[in-house]
Structures are given as structure tokens and as C-alpha cells.
Amino acid sequence: MASDSSAQASGFKKLSESAIISDSEFDTDELSTHPEEIKSHPPIRRSSSLFSLKDELPRPDQKEYTAFIEDNRHFSLIRNLHMADFITLLNGFSGFYSIISCLRYTLTGKSHYVQRAHFFICLGLFFDFFDGRVARLRNKASLMGQELDSLADLISFGVSPATIAFAIGFQSTVDVLLLTFWVLCGLTRLARFNITAQVIPKDEHGKSKYFEGFPIPTNLAWVFFFAFLVYKDWIEDQIPLGYLFKDTAFEFHIISIGFALQGCAEISKSLRIPKP
């Protein structure tokens, strides 16, 4: 029994230490050669948001990791979330409600539902901005912040815009495949960011100098375009530019090519967008 307890404690220690190392914005060479820089710019967790903060937050310490892993109380997950995490969850809620609004539009044909879908995506953008501001105000980094932020962004700025596109008329088989490619590129881009954020060059504030590929919130440009189409009633059979290969199994809207191009821009490694 004693050996089992010792092994479990050792496992918790290794897991927490591993998590701390993975959150570091410095690699091992920097840790060994620039100790004075570490004191002035401690390692941090970086958000995947388009609105990353200029002044970064200190990363959680080892005690927080240990408490998070070993907390066996009821509702321990909720107890360990920070205020900024709940705001990030509101981003995810907004994206999901946008999807529900699209489904209601397809069931009823009432355009105010798709307009509501646009509104909730914009609301998600607000929460994506606001969660970072709250974290900055509290000067507290979250253990789950980056993961929650990425998943919420995928719903609000990946799945939701694609659902709107389908609801307003991009419904052929090839249209749907191009929309699927667009969403998967956004998913891949977010996953890559979580891996490569540590190695992207930083400025004097410790903030990454650029995005690799388009950030996923840039999909909002399509949301505004869809809103314009709904406003002009250029939807369903009235979508501008029409089809390619019309009345065949391979028909698709010409505009759908833009979804594939946007997806390629998101996963591009050579395309570097300076951070604001």
C-alpha cells in the first residue's frame, strides 16, 4: 500500500512538472543562459485568441497544478475554473446558439433566425476579447485557459460560420465538402498554435511577433458577407455568381472556392500575419 501511494504521488509530481514545462514560453537553452531574463519575463500561458494581451500573465505555479490534479471534491472542475474561463465558455455558448439559430431558420424559413445567428457569432467575438481583459485585470493565468479558448474559437468562428453558409444555400455535395475542409483547417490551425506558440519569435514584452497563417477569428469576414447576402436576399437560389458544373453531381457555388482558400490561408506556415 505504501509503495502504491508513493508511486501515485510520484506520478502526480511528474504530471504537474510536465504541465509546467509545457506552459513555458522559453526553451531549455534560454532557461540556462538567460536567468536574469526569466526574472523579468516569467514563463506564461499564451492564449490562442486574436486579442492576445500586450502584457502577458505569469504562468500558474506548481501548487496550482498539484491542487488541480489532486482535487477530488464534488464539482472540482468547476471549482478550479477562473472567472476568465467562464467568460470563455460564454464564447462557446454563443457559437452553439448561433448553430441552433441556423437550424431554426432551416426549419421555419424565417430570416430573423439567421440574423440572430450572425449576432451570436459577434457576441462570441466580444467574449473572446473580454476573457483576456478579465484575466489581465485579475493578473491570474488559468490552467485551462488556452485549451478552452481554442475549443470555443472552433465552435464560434469555425463550425458556426460554416453552418450559416449551409443554411443560406451552400448545400450541394461539393459545397459541403469545401465547408468541411474549411472547418478542419481551422481545427488544425488551432491545434498547431497550441504546439508552436512557444517557438514563435517574441518581442520585448514576450508576445509572439506574428501569427502563422490567418487566425481563425478572421472567418468573421465571411460572417459579415453572409449577413450582407441575407440583407439583400441573395440566398438559396439567388446566391451571386451561381454554380460551376450546374445540374451535375459535381455542382458547387463559385463562392465556395473562397472557403477552401481561407482554409489554406489558416494552415499556411509561410504566411505570417503581424500581431496588432
Side-chain angles (χ1 to χ4, degrees):
M1 292 294 291
S3 61
D4 290 343
S5 299
S6 176
Q8 185 177 11
S10 176
F12 281 133
K13 182 178 180 181
K14 288 181 180 178
L15 182 57
S16 62
E17 288 175 351
S18 174
I20 291 172
I21 291 171
S22 69
D23 280 338
S24 174
E25 288 294 337
F26 299 93
D27 52 30
T28 54
D29 291 338
E30 290 173 326
L31 287 172
S32 61
T33 59
H34 298 87
E36 70 284 352
E37 185 176 0
I38 297 172
K39 292 180 181 179
S40 59
H41 299 289
I44 51 89
R45 277 182 81 80
R46 181 167 302 283
S47 171
S48 64
S49 169
L50 182 64
F51 305 105
S52 57
L53 300 173
K54 182 175 181 180
D55 298 320
E56 301 292 356
L57 299 174
R59 64 172 174 82
D61 58 29
Q62 184 172 348
K63 291 182 180 179
E64 290 191 62
Y65 282 96
T66 303
F68 191 91
I69 294 169
E70 297 180 346
D71 191 346
N72 294 319
R73 298 173 296 172
H74 293 299
F75 307 108
S76 60
L77 177 62
I78 296 176
R79 290 170 183 263
N80 284 286
L81 292 178
H82 293 200
M83 184 182 296
D85 296 333
F86 287 104
I87 296 174
T88 303
L89 290 173
L90 288 175
N91 177 12
F93 162 80
S94 299
F96 179 72
Y97 205 93
S98 173
I99 296 171
I100 294 298
S101 297
C102 289
L103 295 176
R104 286 176 171 162
Y105 169 72
T106 59
L107 289 172
T108 65
K110 296 179 180 179
S111 61
H112 71 273
Y113 283 123
V114 75
Q115 292 169 351
R116 184 180 298 175
H118 295 135
F119 166 77
F120 273 99
I121 291 180
C122 293
L123 187 63
L125 182 69
F126 167 76
F127 289 129
D128 190 40
F129 169 80
F130 192 52
D131 61 0
R133 295 300 172 186
V134 170
R136 179 72 267 168
L137 183 65
R138 293 168 59 86
N139 195 33
K140 192 75 170 177
S142 167
L143 295 174
M144 296 181 62
Q146 179 170 300
E147 286 72 18
L148 284 176
D149 189 79
S150 293
L151 294 170
D153 283 356
L154 176 64
I155 298 172
S156 294
F157 311 127
V159 179
S160 295
T163 305
I164 292 176
F166 179 85
I168 65 175
F170 295 89
Q171 298 176 356
S172 75
T173 300
V174 178
D175 284 337
V176 172
L177 290 175
L178 292 173
L179 287 171
T180 302
F181 175 78
W182 184 29
V183 173
L184 293 179
C185 285
L187 171 62
T188 306
R189 189 249 182 270
L190 289 168
R192 183 185 68 185
F193 179 90
N194 290 344
I195 296 172
T196 62
Q198 300 177 22
V199 297
I200 294 177
K202 309 298 188 296
D203 61 17
E204 63 274 12
H205 300 287
K207 187 176 85 169
S208 299
K209 292 182 178 180
Y210 55 80
F211 291 107
E212 283 187 346
F214 280 7
I216 195 169
T218 58
N219 289 347
L220 282 168
W222 283 100
V223 175
F224 295 135
F225 176 68
F226 298 151
F228 175 74
L229 294 183
V230 173
Y231 173 76
K232 301 292 289 186
D233 201 27
W234 292 344
I235 58 177
E236 298 177 353
D237 294 334
Q238 306 300 320
I239 293 177
L241 303 182
Y243 288 91
L244 284 178
F245 309 114
K246 187 173 176 59
D247 298 326
T248 71
F250 302 102
E251 70 176 10
F252 65 95
H253 290 88
I254 296 176
I255 291 176
S256 294
I257 298 173
F259 305 143
L261 295 176
Q262 173 82 10
C264 291
E266 287 176 353
I267 61 175
S268 171
K269 191 172 180 64
S270 58
L271 182 61
R272 296 178 176 180
I273 311 300
K275 278 199 170 184

